[in-house]
Amino acid sequence: MFGILGSDIDAARLTYFGLFALQHRGQESAGISVSDGKNITVYKDLGLVAQVFDEATLAGLSGPIAVGHTRYSTTGSNSWENSQPVFRHFGWNAIALSHNGNLTNTSQLAGTLGPLAATTDSELMTEVIAQQMSEGGLSLPEALSAALPRFEGAFTLTVMDTTTLVGVRDPRGFRPLCLGKLGESWILASETAALDILGADYVRQVAPGEMVVIDENGVTSRFPFEPAESRLCLFEFVYFARPDSILMGQTIHKTRLRMGRRLAAQAPINADITVPVPESGMPAAQGFSEASGIPYVDGLVKNRYVGRTFIEPSQSMRERGVRMKLNAMPGVISGRRVVLVDDSIVRGSTTRQLVTMVREAGATEVHLRISSPPYRWPCFYGMDTGDRSTLLAADRSLDEITSVLGADSLEYLELDHLIEATGAEPDSFCTACLSGEYPTNVPLTDSKFLLEGSI
Ligand code: AMP
């Protein structure tokens, strides 16, 4: 997500470029809302940023304040109605909201609001905030201060009304948000890579539990929540964030290199070549190769015009997606013992096909090295990894997983080593998907389509 407030700027165009740098965070839909100071206009559609927007649509979005979003659905289906920013108009003002994360009290919240045509937790939040403004006559920051404590779970937000931009991180700060500056304009973005693309300066991370209010007078900070321990998603380091983004003071690329080095020390193997699974496995494979001395070879070619297969919604599309995306090169693989390095295995369908592909390309052995621990527990905080039954490692031993994947050997980086590689304190992270330790109460059932069932 992205937000910008300046004066005399083409906020929508800058947001477009910001979203372009954040495309990896969601590929189902893209949207931008813009205010000219009096009215908010929203344009959003299913598809990639560059498919949704063109010169003509951007030309129709003029004004100095904007919020943008790329969607990867974690609540509700992949439909136009569920794309963001969510917009509400009420008499004297309007708001547009972008949400990254997933609420854990969606059904309770829905219960307090009466019948609504909302199909996502993001819409419920927008409704609560809009009600505070329209019925209570509150300003956007006041309405947020009143509404935010009612939300539980993961919610990093960028919200705007006609004159103000606000960034929020929930008290645990599951999802990141940074503050940047471009000339006199202030920027909010999920990752620092979105600042780089604009040539903007990185100012700082928005803190867990912090609400930053940006208007023509500059930035002010408030803390509307009861304090809680910070729990940034560890998977941001493993998979989500771009390698060139900075989190907790370090580039993600460096952290992933260290993960690979530790993996080589923890799980050595005799092999001829280290082959990365592009692109998410590349830094870890580089670290693995450096530490093991096993040469790094690009044995898999990625079609750079195909997105991350996993993010597409249905399993059948995902299965087809792998072959569209990756192809093995017999010329470099044939007759070799291959260490295949990737960042994670979730459902296992991609990895199984990759092992087969590498064998078909002539590898004599295929050893899997994964730079994170087994993914065993569903995420309720904004990763659509499905319920436990879909997770390959949920109830399987290492041997069973190895045999399902058809590999000669398999080792996962241990959780302690992964956390060490980040250089941060162990209790800084949410590790729920890897450890089963959820930092908040979580719904008992997977609730992705909870609200859709009720309307
Ligand atoms: P699979 O073998 O089907 O579990 O897919 C493994 C691949 O999925 C790895 O290359 C990961 O980089 C990637 N992956 C891990 N987590 C996610 C996620 N939340 N969304 C999309 N892709 C993911």
Side-chain angles (χ1 to χ4, degrees), residues 124-447:
L124 291 182
M125 284 190 278
T126 311
E127 200 59 47
V128 174
I129 299 161
Q131 277 181 12
Q132 294 284 352
M133 291 178 79
S134 63
E135 291 164 21
L138 302 181
S139 67
L140 176 61
E142 288 165 351
L144 281 162
S145 296
L148 291 170
R150 291 173 63 184
F151 309 151
E152 288 170 22
F155 49 101
T156 291
L157 308 175
T158 48
V159 201
M160 61 187 279
D161 69 359
T162 52
T163 57
T164 312
L165 172 67
V166 182
V168 177
R169 277 178 85 192
D170 62 72
R172 291 184 179 73
F174 287 101
R175 301 279 151 218
L177 186 69
C178 68
L179 182 67
K181 200 151 190 229
L182 177 67
E184 295 307 305
S185 305
W186 291 97
I187 296 176
L188 295 165
S190 295
E191 293 181 33
T192 60
L195 304 177
D196 297 339
I197 199 173
L198 297 173
D201 293 325
Y202 170 66
V203 177
R204 63 178 176 88
Q205 290 289 321
V206 174
E210 184 180 6
M211 169 167 115
V212 289
V213 178
I214 306 172
D215 60 21
E216 57 185 11
N217 301 315
V219 180
T220 53
S221 174
R222 303 181 193 191
F223 289 85
F225 303 97
E226 293 283 322
E229 288 176 353
S230 308
R231 290 284 186 268
L232 178 64
C233 168
L234 186 54
F235 230 67
E236 290 281 347
F237 286 87
V238 172
Y239 169 78
F240 253 109
R242 266 172 64 144
D244 50 344
S245 284
I246 297 171
L247 259 186
M248 289 184 160
Q250 9 202 343
T251 56
I252 293 287
H253 182 262
K254 274 207 176 127
T255 311
R256 291 182 184 157
L257 270 180
R258 285 200 290 268
M259 291 176 198
R261 289 192 195 122
R262 273 164 208 267
L263 186 58
Q266 180 204 304
I269 183 77
N270 280 328
D272 303 313
I273 52 175
T274 302
V275 173
V277 177
E279 289 173 2
S280 49
M282 288 164 82
Q286 204 181 321
F288 188 96
S289 165
E290 275 171 29
S292 64
I294 303 171
Y296 180 101
V297 172
D298 288 320
L300 293 168
V301 175
K302 185 177 177 214
N303 179 333
R304 64 182 66 154
Y305 304 102
V306 177
R308 286 182 168 184
T309 53
F310 211 110
I311 282 175
E312 289 165 10
S314 78
Q315 184 66 13
S316 61
M317 283 175 80
R318 267 194 289 273
E319 303 247 343
R320 233 178 301 133
V322 179
R323 288 203 176 262
M324 283 169 65
K325 179 171 149 181
L326 292 167
N327 198 15
M329 284 197 289
V332 294
I333 286 177
S334 184
R336 306 282 178 81
R337 295 170 299 170
V338 173
V339 196
L340 200 55
V341 181
D342 203 355
D343 67 283
S344 57
I345 302 173
V346 181
R347 296 171 171 95
S349 52
T350 311
T351 312
R352 200 177 55 240
Q353 291 179 67
L354 281 176
V355 172
T356 306
M357 213 186 259
V358 171
R359 281 201 198 286
E360 284 172 1
T364 53
E365 294 173 19
V366 183
H367 301 278
L368 283 169
R369 293 294 178 273
I370 306 298
S371 62
S372 63
Y375 194 117
R376 292 209 160 100
W377 301 91
C379 176
F380 295 94
Y381 306 117
M383 274 197 289
D384 178 25
T385 43
D387 61 32
R388 280 207 90 200
S389 63
T390 65
L391 303 176
L392 179 67
D395 293 311
R396 289 187 176 88
S397 68
L398 188 66
D399 283 349
E400 286 168 341
I401 301 169
T402 314
S403 108
V404 171
L405 297 174
D408 292 292
S409 78
L410 162 67
E411 295 288 347
Y412 291 95
L413 184 63
E414 285 168 14
L415 185 58
D416 292 352
H417 293 160
L418 167 58
I419 292 173
E420 269 166 38
T422 67
E425 292 298 317
D427 58 6
S428 327
F429 296 109
C430 173
T431 60
C433 56
L434 312 172
S435 65
E437 290 169 21
Y438 293 95
T440 67
N441 291 331
V442 287
L444 292 175
T445 52
D446 184 14
S447 53

